[in-house]
Amino acid sequence: MRRIEKITPRGRPKLAPDRTRQSPMAPTQPGISVVAGDKVLNRMQESHSTLAAALLDWFATSARDLPWRRTRDPYAIWVSEIMLQQTQVKTVIPFWERWLRELPTIEAAAKAPSAKIHKLWEGLGYYTRVRNLQKAAQVVVERHDGKFPEKFEEVLALPGIGRYTAGAICSIAFNQPTPILDGNVIRVLTRVFGIAENPKEKRTNARLWQLAEELVGRAKEAKDARGKTTSHPLLSSRETNFCSFLNQSLMELGALVCTPRNPQCLICPVQKLCVAFKENRTEELPNLGRREAATARHFLAFAVVWNGKFLVQQRPAGVVNAQLWEFPNIEITGAKPAARELFENIFSIAPPKIQPLCIVKHSITRYRITLEAFLVSLKTFPQKTDGIWKTPAQLHRLAFTAAHKKLASAAVKSILSGR
Ligand code: SF4
């Protein structure tokens, strides 16, 4: 149903509710008088405060002890937020710890060689993130004297930092009431408020941002109203970190309780306020529309060995996984050719032996990729090659894409076992 934007008596724009799905948490009602409008506004603010208080109470007892929650250092929090994009917490922890051990300051990140930052990121995927992280570190050094900026607009202006990440850093590191909206928060808000429209639509997305802003703006009031303290070891500073904890509670609830499938409504701290729970609509929210169908892609790769060394190539700038290393490979789009025939076409040499090595399957965004690899041992040096030759020990020092790292392990193991 179409939603109508109204100007409240206080001049603040807000959204009228879907009448068919009206709930106590709905923002306002169309066609109401000024006095009634004030009442609705007060009720809405109260309900937001109640929700914020419930989230803060739950977070105070249930927050996971994650390493980046033990610091207020904006650099460490920034690195965690970038790593956590598209990547699970348990995967990120060792990467985050290693990154901060190797590059403990913004200056160190700004100056590190490209090969080093790619190696530290190897296995996390989405490598544009690490290149932007370094560019942003360089901007912080050049424009901000190496001190991470505190103003939201300055944080947002850094390479690789969007509205969500800027909001997360400003709230977590500096306790500012900056809203956040990622997949977890969208799921929680659409369910709690019973929002049936697709969150990717502009108007609905703007409404969700507004709700996230209202909630983080209510955090201090909610905390003051409860006046509770906590014995949680991570949250002893709760007295002052209410914006940080409110935002983190939304993310945490989406990650641990309000999960995409089988949400744990019976133990949910905001169950009494949740429209989706009351109306039995958790399965249908959020309404993300139809998913794009997955596309299958097939690659043939060759682990070419000559004189105890492997031929590897570095991906050029401007392509997916730029600057990472891989074995020679080609995408098969039509009928699958014989591996030997394909090899001879590419390298203009007939190998004495070519044998299946491994098949690696993985997914990147909507692509389901199959990488079929062959081990090729050469007796004579092939003239027609792109790339460089590396010993097994040298291979370990290069940053490979995840699929080719598996291929490298299989190839080295195969050679060492004398296959
Ligand atoms: Fe999510 Fe269920 Fe909690 Fe509602 S009650 S926020 S659907 S877990």
Side-chain angles (χ1 to χ4, degrees):
M1 180 170 286
R2 197 171 75 83
R3 306 191 64 79
I4 305 159
E5 257 204 357
K6 293 182 71 69
I7 302 298
T8 68
R10 297 183 187 181
R12 184 175 195 155
K14 56 183 187 172
L15 296 164
D18 178 336
R19 287 181 185 209
T20 60
R21 304 209 187 275
Q22 200 166 337
S23 81
M25 306 292 285
T28 188
Q29 295 178 28
I32 49 182
S33 70
V34 171
V35 175
D38 267 351
K39 279 188 186 159
V40 171
L41 180 65
N42 288 340
R43 212 172 65 219
M44 183 185 81
Q45 288 172 341
E46 272 171 31
S47 65
H48 287 172
S49 293
T50 308
L51 177 58
L55 286 165
L56 284 171
D57 284 349
W58 174 75
F59 191 69
T61 54
S62 311
R64 284 172 293 178
D65 184 359
L66 303 177
W68 45 86
R69 286 191 174 149
R70 291 178 171 265
T71 177
R72 298 286 300 274
D73 175 4
Y75 168 60
I77 290 163
W78 168 35
V79 173
S80 76
E81 284 299 328
I82 300 295
M83 286 185 171
L84 285 164
Q85 291 168 7
Q86 321 270 354
T87 314
Q88 292 185 341
V89 163
K90 69 173 189 302
T91 306
V92 165
I93 291 173
F95 283 90
W96 181 84
E97 289 173 337
R98 191 173 53 146
W99 180 281
L100 287 167
R101 222 173 24 246
E102 298 277 327
L103 304 171
T105 62
I106 295 178
E107 288 81 1
K111 281 193 292 196
S114 170
K116 176 158 188 164
I117 61 163
H118 282 91
K119 188 66 186 167
L120 287 171
W121 210 268
E122 184 190 39
L124 276 178
Y126 303 97
Y127 294 89
T128 308
R129 292 183 295 175
V130 71
R131 289 189 282 278
N132 278 333
L133 182 60
Q134 183 169 53
K135 276 189 215 156
Q138 289 161 352
V139 172
V140 172
V141 169
E142 284 160 23
R143 291 196 206 146
H144 302 283
D145 252 354
K147 188 172 180 296
F148 197 88
E150 290 193 24
K151 284 190 185 149
F152 177 81
E153 291 72 21
E154 290 177 346
V155 178
L156 188 62
L158 295 172
I161 295 191
R163 186 176 175 185
Y164 164 81
T165 307
I169 297 169
C170 287
S171 60
I172 297 170
F174 308 124
N175 196 41
Q176 294 171 15
T178 47
I180 53 157
L181 192 69
D182 68 349
N184 281 334
V185 179
I186 285 174
R187 192 164 54 254
V188 171
L189 293 183
T190 52
R191 285 175 175 169
V192 170
F193 291 93
I195 295 171
E197 295 83 0
N198 189 327
K200 289 183 202 143
E201 286 166 11
K202 200 172 164 197
R203 181 178 282 255
T204 309
N205 195 263
R207 182 185 173 199
L208 288 165
W209 274 108
Q210 191 185 353
L211 283 170
E213 188 170 357
E214 294 272 354
L215 285 175
V216 73
R218 297 264 140 210
K220 181 173 186 315
E221 181 186 299
K223 195 279 301 175
D224 287 346
R226 295 291 174 106
K228 285 185 183 172
T229 54
T230 176
S231 56
H232 193 295
L234 275 180
L235 309 180
S236 52
S237 56
R238 185 182 167 191
E239 290 304 308
T240 54
N241 282 355
F242 32 82
C243 295
S244 163
F245 295 147
L246 190 283
N247 275 350
Q248 291 190 73
S249 72
L250 279 170
M251 299 185 217
E252 195 82 334
L253 192 74
L256 301 182
V257 179
C258 194
T259 46
R261 275 173 291 283
N262 304 320
Q264 308 288 304
C265 299
L266 296 180
I267 58 158
C268 178
V270 300
Q271 182 211 83
K272 288 199 174 106
L273 305 165
C274 179
V275 174
F277 177 72
K278 272 185 215 156
E279 298 179 0
N280 200 19
R281 291 164 56 208
T282 53
E283 292 289 308
E284 68 192 67
L285 299 177
N287 164 19
L288 297 171
R290 272 174 171 249
R291 283 200 170 197
E292 220 177 333
T295 304
R297 297 176 69 181
H298 194 140
F299 292 78
L300 287 192
F302 299 103
V304 188
V305 198
W306 169 78
N307 202 21
K309 293 180 176 177
F310 289 95
L311 180 64
V312 287
Q313 302 168 335
Q314 191 171 27
R315 291 177 66 79
V319 302
V320 176
N321 294 331
Q323 295 178 44
L324 272 85
W325 292 85
E326 62 184 13
F327 292 86
N329 66 90
I330 190 161
E331 183 167 10
I332 307 301
T333 50
K336 191 174 132 191
R340 174 176 286 278
E341 186 189 331
L342 185 66
F343 183 88
E344 289 179 9
N345 279 341
I346 296 172
F347 294 94
S348 300
I349 190 169
K353 195 173 167 193
I354 181 162
Q355 56 186 328
L357 177 65
C358 62
I359 294 177
V360 181
K361 293 190 182 232
H362 65 121
S363 298
I364 302 177
T365 59
R366 66 188 181 86
Y367 298 111
R368 305 281 169 271
I369 295 171
T370 303
L371 180 73
E372 193 176 350
F374 294 84
L375 185 66
V376 186
S377 301
L378 297 179
K379 295 272 187 266
T380 51
F381 184 76
Q383 295 304 321
K384 196 178 160 195
T385 54
D386 283 330
I388 55 176
W389 297 88
K390 294 282 185 187
T391 62
Q394 290 168 329
L395 286 187
H396 282 301
R397 292 198 280 276
L398 301 178
F400 281 92
T401 63
H404 283 260
K405 191 173 172 67
K406 287 183 189 159
L407 199 166
S409 299
V412 170
K413 204 166 149 193
S414 176
I415 288 296
L416 294 178
S417 67
R419 263 180 72 195

